[in-house]
Amino acid sequence: MENISIGLLGLGTVGSGVVKVIRNHQDKLVHGVGCTVHIRKILVKDPAKERSVEVDPAMVTVNPSEIIEDPSIDIIVEVMGGIEETRTLLLKALENKKHVITANKDLMALYGHDLLKAASENGCDLFYEASVAGGIPILRSVVDGFASDRIQRIIGIVNGTTNYILTKMSDEGMSYSEALKEAQELGYAEADPEADVEGTDAARKMAILSTLGFSMNVGLSDVRCKGISGISQEDIEYGQQLGYTMKLIGTAERDNDSIDVTVQPALVSVSHPLAAVKNENNAVYVYGDAVGETMFYGPGAGSLPTATAVVSDLVGVMRNMRLGVNGHSAAFPQFEKKMKTAEEVFKKYFLRLVVEDEVGALAEITALLSTEGISVEKIWQNPKRGSVSEIILVTHKVSEKSFEQTLVKLNDSRVVSRVGSSFRIEI
Amino acid sequence: MENISIGLLGLGTVGSGVVKVIRNHQDKLVHGVGCTVHIRKILVKDPAKERSVEVDPAMVTVNPSEIIEDPSIDIIVEVMGGIEETRTLLLKALENKKHVITANKDLMALYGHDLLKAASENGCDLFYEASVAGGIPILRSVVDGFASDRIQRIIGIVNGTTNYILTKMSDEGMSYSEALKEAQELGYAEADPEADVEGTDAARKMAILSTLGFSMNVGLSDVRCKGISGISQEDIEYGQQLGYTMKLIGTAERDNDSIDVTVQPALVSVSHPLAAVKNENNAVYVYGDAVGETMFYGPGAGSLPTATAVVSDLVGVMRNMRLGVNGHSAAFPQFEKKMKTAEEVFKKYFLRLVVEDEVGALAEITALLSTEGISVEKIWQNPKRGSVSEIILVTHKVSEKSFEQTLVKLNDSRVVSRVGSSFRIEI
């Protein structure tokens, strides 16, 4: 029986999982592809470091060339992270006609197009299912499962750290900093949590999802991004009282031929399945022209779930090798990218205004909104808290541009002390 | 540019959807596979019948040979339903080296193995994504997405009709017959609803899912099946009071090397995502060794959703044609089928007992359960309703065999008038 040799770049959380999945499910791999899989070499930074899997020390190297230049290695599995150095390594691997599987969302969001092009030119496969939503097979669902449909909208909870924090704030009344601390203690958040809490990690995943879903070359800089560090317990509670749950939401929407891609904290109706996605879990909601509403739910990270996605990609590469058809699976964009302007994005909004507690504030605010063409679905004057009086509003759909302009005018209004907060109501 | 010719068997709900999806998304198909797709002939029973799509009358035929024997047709799309006649037609099509896409769960549950074998022998593809859970790409997720994992448990809400009925009974307090009537009026249930409400339709889908998920040749007769026609409003209400929702649940479970596959009304915890699957929607929960818990949600039926699955399969066949690798995708079972016995299946149960209203009934029942080795998680003596007094129990896990034997003894007990109902608590 033929044997396929793997070079593994990285032996951290996901890398250790890949070793385990290949070892534990070897019989299924053999049945599925008709050959055995063998990890030949593993690139690590520190060979002395204790690992959660035992590997033969002779397999371990600190020199990437020993893997990238080894002619006996067929497939590179990249789970080391990093951007520039990793990109150079993978381009070299592809030039050497090695297939590549990567879990690296940072890299794919920035250089996916170049890497896929290099793979195609070298007759190699480049698969990256694990880069978005860990164990959920969402990329192959978008590409293959909906191959016949026109995807109009993707809404994703694609960052487990922020979903954990918001769940704790919503369900247990924790403050942002308490919830972040707990997430860090449990290993769901890094010591430096910025990429997660400021939305960058989610933005990378939305760039990848919208590139595939809309068949346009969407880059990280196309994703308008806002994090959750400014979320207060009040916002969450007001949302709940109105029937909404706060989530860090990635949206990718298409109308006709132009698109809008964002990551931001937003409210979703408690009756929507996305509201039930708790803790570190991920979910991706996909709306297609023909299929309608679908949702994919599961673990967005973690050693074994992410490794499952990596090794399932490995099966795909090996099947293609057996059939001699590698290098044909990259789907290059069908359309020129065209982003919507702020005039073209229409949303419902939640708005919290801190007002002077004077007679007529409500009347003056509603008059201002009416002048700006914003109609109000719900309005609610909250009992005074200390010396602060608040007005909570839910608008009907309004363009983002009009809404932003109105916020400026509200801030200038005599009766408004300040705009406390505002959020999109996403679904 | 090359043109692929399709023969369409059937122009009902799904067939009309297939025509629409191919027409509306032709540009995506061309981009995805590099060739155009053209429906050459359509088999119908009654050419005079009004359809929801317009088709050239010259394309329509009542004679299947005009399609199956037409050498210019590359791919057969079967959406006519039926079993024996359809099987003969498809075997003939495969012999004639035509690839086949089918949405026919009845056929695949009964003769899937034979048809896949014929396809493989003739170098043809046979895809059937649409046969389970309509628009949800669940079969490719099970086969490809979890190619590296060992699936241990599948729980499916895979019949939209019964889910609609149970949703109406649960959320609006309708009786079974009222909810069935409404489902029939809305077209969610057939005039003869037996295959849906007695669980046969769901059992077919569970046979297909467990065959793929466990890599064993699971047939329809291996699925122990019970329908929802005996469900009362009381059962639903008691379940709700205990924190559960009633669903028609398909389960496929593996422990070590033996499996159990069932369809039955069962209770699921209201906090589980499956409880939030309402109305005619479907969802499939998959638990894998490595990936953990995932769930796939979407429309389980309907013209366009099901057509999306059919035409996405078509894209798969056409990609394989372009690469010259048809006939390699059927995954034949890795394992001998081994079903669990009733001693080997362990579940929690809900139990409703109608008792004589006499002192000591509770004590006598708990003593009997204790003697049978059944431990009780919750017990609740309901206020008398008319002359009837009831006791509601939730057990800890117990073998199905023990539970069934205990039911007989309870029925014989002096203090029990009758066993009102019993249901598995699934999750």
Side-chain angles (χ1 to χ4, degrees):
Chain A
M1 195 185 303
E2 204 189 342
N3 178 46
I4 307 280
S5 288
I6 312 290
L8 183 61
L9 308 182
L11 190 58
T13 306
V14 180
S16 307
V18 168
V19 173
K20 286 177 198 162
V21 169
I22 290 177
R23 279 186 192 161
N24 296 345
H25 299 155
Q26 185 73 233
D27 69 321
K28 185 168 180 185
L29 302 179
V30 169
H31 177 78
V33 292
C35 51
T36 56
V37 191
H38 168 75
I39 297 175
R40 181 172 290 267
K41 279 188 195 138
I42 304 175
L43 180 70
V44 299
K45 271 195 196 134
D46 174 9
K49 192 176 164 188
E50 190 118 355
R51 311 280 173 179
S52 73
V53 283
E54 267 190 40
V55 294
D56 179 355
M59 283 164 58
V60 171
T61 176
V62 293
N63 178 6
S65 303
E66 281 190 32
I67 296 176
I68 304 297
E69 305 296 343
D70 182 340
S72 73
I73 287 177
D74 308 290
I75 305 173
I76 300 293
V77 173
E78 187 273 299
V79 288
M80 61 193 263
I83 299 180
E84 289 306 333
E85 189 195 337
T86 312
R87 170 173 163 251
T88 310
L89 276 182
L90 295 187
L91 285 172
K92 188 72 195 151
L94 292 167
E95 277 169 35
N96 291 346
K97 314 293 181 203
K98 297 184 193 313
H99 310 294
V100 170
I101 292 152
T102 176
N104 193 328
K105 59 202 166 284
D106 314 19
L107 187 63
M108 289 308 294
L110 285 171
Y111 299 116
H113 186 78
D114 300 344
L115 286 162
L116 288 165
K117 197 158 157 279
S120 186
E121 284 166 4
N122 287 287
C124 290
D125 285 335
L126 169 59
F127 291 162
Y128 51 103
E129 179 64 73
S131 67
V132 179
I136 310 173
I138 184 64
L139 300 190
R140 64 183 79 226
S141 292
V142 166
V143 174
D144 296 330
F146 301 135
S148 65
D149 203 0
R150 184 177 166 90
I151 292 174
Q152 300 289 27
R153 190 175 191 194
I154 299 173
I155 308 180
I157 295 174
V158 289
N159 179 273
T161 308
T162 47
N163 202 49
Y164 185 85
I165 292 171
L166 291 174
T167 302
K168 291 289 155 179
M169 291 176 74
S170 301
D171 291 1
E172 297 176 23
M174 282 189 193
S175 70
Y176 171 75
S177 54
E178 285 168 343
L180 172 59
K181 189 158 166 278
E182 186 173 299
Q184 285 171 321
E185 283 165 4
L186 290 166
Y188 294 146
E190 310 277 338
D192 175 4
E194 193 187 328
D196 288 319
V197 300
E198 295 310 332
T200 323
D201 174 84
R204 288 169 182 148
K205 293 162 180 169
M206 292 310 296
I208 296 171
L209 273 173
S210 48
T211 295
L212 292 173
F214 299 148
S215 203
M216 291 183 193
N217 198 2
V218 182
L220 184 56
S221 60
D222 298 314
V223 186
R224 293 181 297 131
C225 178
K226 195 175 145 190
I228 64 161
S229 56
I231 302 288
S232 71
Q233 190 53 244
E234 287 74 35
D235 293 323
I236 288 176
E237 282 169 18
Y238 284 132
Q240 286 172 336
Q241 286 166 28
L242 292 162
Y244 298 107
T245 301
M246 184 78 73
K247 295 286 179 191
L248 183 69
I249 290 287
T251 64
E253 294 175 307
R254 164 157 68 182
D255 285 312
N256 299 315
D257 297 326
S258 58
I259 65 165
D260 184 50
V261 188
T262 71
V263 167
Q264 59 193 298
L267 295 168
V268 298
S269 166
V270 287
S271 64
H272 193 275
L274 282 170
V277 178
K278 304 257 178 181
N279 298 317
E280 75 281 15
N281 286 303
N282 280 199
V284 181
Y285 165 100
V286 179
Y287 183 88
D289 243 4
V291 76
E293 301 192 332
T294 60
M295 196 178 92
F296 302 83
Y297 166 91
S303 174
L304 291 175
T306 311
T308 303
V310 168
V311 184
S312 293
D313 273 354
L314 192 59
V315 170
V317 173
M318 294 193 294
R319 281 191 187 140
N320 285 348
M321 286 172 75
R322 193 190 56 182
L323 299 169
V325 293
N326 300 96
H328 294 281
S329 39
F332 291 102
Q334 182 181 359
F335 303 108
E336 277 297 308
K337 178 176 67 191
K338 195 177 152 202
M339 304 305 295
K340 287 201 222 184
T341 64
E343 282 101 332
E344 294 172 312
V345 178
F346 290 83
K347 292 284 165 182
K348 283 176 70 167
Y349 288 91
F350 164 99
L351 177 57
R352 176 163 66 89
L353 299 171
V354 181
V355 296
E356 303 296 330
D357 186 25
E358 61 175 57
V359 179
L362 199 63
E364 191 148 336
I365 288 164
T366 49
L368 192 154
L369 292 169
S370 169
T371 310
E372 296 300 314
I374 296 180
S375 71
V376 171
E377 185 185 292
K378 287 178 195 155
I379 190 158
W380 172 29
Q381 185 149 20
N382 201 44
K384 197 167 175 169
R385 293 188 304 163
S387 63
V388 179
S389 185
E390 291 180 320
I391 289 178
I392 309 298
L393 284 164
V394 172
T395 72
H396 284 288
K397 279 196 178 180
V398 51
S399 83
E400 189 166 301
K401 176 121 185 199
S402 298
F403 185 74
E404 296 293 342
Q405 286 173 345
T406 306
L407 285 188
V408 173
K409 291 187 183 165
L410 282 166
N411 246 330
D412 292 344
S413 158
R414 189 179 53 85
V415 297
V416 174
S417 304
R418 62 186 173 85
V419 173
S421 58
S422 68
F423 301 98
R424 281 188 181 185
I425 295 175
E426 209 50 70
I427 200 154
Chain B
M1 193 185 302
E2 204 190 341
N3 178 46
I4 307 280
S5 288
I6 312 289
L8 184 61
L9 309 182
L11 191 59
T13 307
V14 179
S16 308
V18 169
V19 173
K20 287 178 198 162
V21 170
I22 290 177
R23 278 185 192 160
N24 296 345
H25 299 156
Q26 185 73 231
D27 69 321
K28 184 168 180 183
L29 302 180
V30 169
H31 177 78
V33 292
C35 50
T36 56
V37 192
H38 168 75
I39 297 174
R40 181 171 290 266
K41 279 186 195 141
I42 304 175
L43 180 70
V44 299
K45 272 196 195 130
D46 174 9
K49 190 176 166 188
E50 190 116 358
R51 312 280 171 178
S52 72
V53 283
E54 267 191 42
V55 293
D56 178 356
M59 281 165 58
V60 171
T61 175
V62 294
N63 178 4
S65 302
E66 280 190 32
I67 297 177
I68 303 298
E69 305 294 342
D70 182 340
S72 73
I73 287 177
D74 308 290
I75 304 173
I76 300 294
V77 172
E78 185 273 300
V79 287
M80 61 193 263
I83 299 180
E84 289 306 333
E85 189 194 339
T86 313
R87 171 172 162 251
T88 308
L89 274 182
L90 294 187
L91 284 172
K92 188 74 195 149
L94 291 167
E95 276 169 35
N96 291 346
K97 312 295 180 204
K98 298 186 193 312
H99 310 294
V100 170
I101 292 152
T102 175
N104 193 328
K105 60 202 166 278
D106 313 18
L107 187 62
M108 289 307 293
L110 285 172
Y111 298 116
H113 186 78
D114 300 345
L115 286 162
L116 288 165
K117 196 158 159 279
S120 186
E121 285 166 2
N122 286 288
C124 289
D125 286 334
L126 168 61
F127 291 162
Y128 51 102
E129 180 65 73
S131 67
V132 178
I136 310 173
I138 184 63
L139 300 189
R140 64 182 81 225
S141 292
V142 166
V143 173
D144 297 330
F146 301 135
S148 66
D149 202 0
R150 184 177 167 91
I151 292 174
Q152 301 288 25
R153 191 174 189 194
I154 300 172
I155 307 181
I157 296 173
V158 289
N159 179 275
T161 308
T162 48
N163 202 49
Y164 185 86
I165 292 171
L166 292 176
T167 302
K168 290 289 155 182
M169 291 177 74
S170 301
D171 292 1
E172 297 176 24
M174 283 189 192
S175 70
Y176 170 76
S177 55
E178 285 168 344
L180 172 60
K181 188 158 168 280
E182 186 173 297
Q184 285 171 322
E185 283 164 6
L186 290 166
Y188 294 145
E190 310 278 341
D192 174 3
E194 193 187 329
D196 289 318
V197 300
E198 295 310 333
T200 324
D201 175 84
R204 287 169 182 147
K205 293 163 179 167
M206 292 310 296
I208 295 170
L209 273 174
S210 47
T211 294
L212 292 173
F214 300 148
S215 202
M216 291 182 194
N217 198 3
V218 181
L220 184 56
S221 59
D222 298 314
V223 187
R224 293 180 298 132
C225 176
K226 194 175 144 189
I228 65 161
S229 56
I231 302 286
S232 71
Q233 190 53 244
E234 286 75 35
D235 293 322
I236 287 176
E237 282 170 18
Y238 283 132
Q240 285 172 334
Q241 286 167 28
L242 291 163
Y244 298 107
T245 302
M246 185 78 73
K247 294 285 179 192
L248 182 69
I249 290 288
T251 65
E253 293 175 308
R254 164 157 68 181
D255 286 312
N256 300 315
D257 298 326
S258 58
I259 66 165
D260 184 52
V261 188
T262 72
V263 168
Q264 59 193 298
L267 295 168
V268 298
S269 166
V270 287
S271 63
H272 193 275
L274 281 169
V277 178
K278 305 256 181 183
N279 298 319
E280 74 282 16
N281 287 303
N282 279 199
V284 181
Y285 165 99
V286 179
Y287 183 89
D289 243 2
V291 77
E293 300 193 332
T294 61
M295 197 178 89
F296 302 82
Y297 166 91
S303 174
L304 290 176
T306 310
T308 303
V310 168
V311 184
S312 292
D313 273 354
L314 191 60
V315 170
V317 173
M318 293 192 296
R319 281 192 187 141
N320 285 347
M321 286 172 76
R322 193 191 57 182
L323 298 169
V325 294
N326 300 96
H328 295 281
S329 39
F332 291 101
Q334 183 181 357
F335 303 108
E336 278 297 309
K337 179 176 67 190
K338 194 177 153 201
M339 305 305 293
K340 287 202 224 183
T341 64
E343 282 100 333
E344 295 172 312
V345 178
F346 289 83
K347 291 285 167 183
K348 283 175 70 168
Y349 287 91
F350 164 98
L351 177 58
R352 177 163 64 91
L353 300 172
V354 181
V355 295
E356 302 296 330
D357 186 24
E358 61 176 57
V359 180
L362 199 63
E364 189 147 340
I365 288 163
T366 50
L368 192 155
L369 291 168
S370 169
T371 310
E372 297 300 313
I374 297 179
S375 70
V376 171
E377 185 184 293
K378 287 178 195 156
I379 190 159
W380 173 29
Q381 185 148 21
N382 201 46
K384 199 166 174 168
R385 293 188 304 165
S387 64
V388 179
S389 185
E390 290 181 319
I391 288 178
I392 309 298
L393 283 165
V394 173
T395 72
H396 285 289
K397 279 197 177 176
V398 50
S399 82
E400 191 166 301
K401 176 115 184 209
S402 296
F403 185 74
E404 295 293 342
Q405 286 173 344
T406 306
L407 285 187
V408 174
K409 291 188 182 165
L410 282 166
N411 247 329
D412 291 345
S413 157
R414 190 179 53 86
V415 297
V416 175
S417 303
R418 62 186 173 85
V419 173
S421 58
S422 68
F423 301 98
R424 280 188 183 185
I425 295 175
E426 208 51 70
I427 202 157

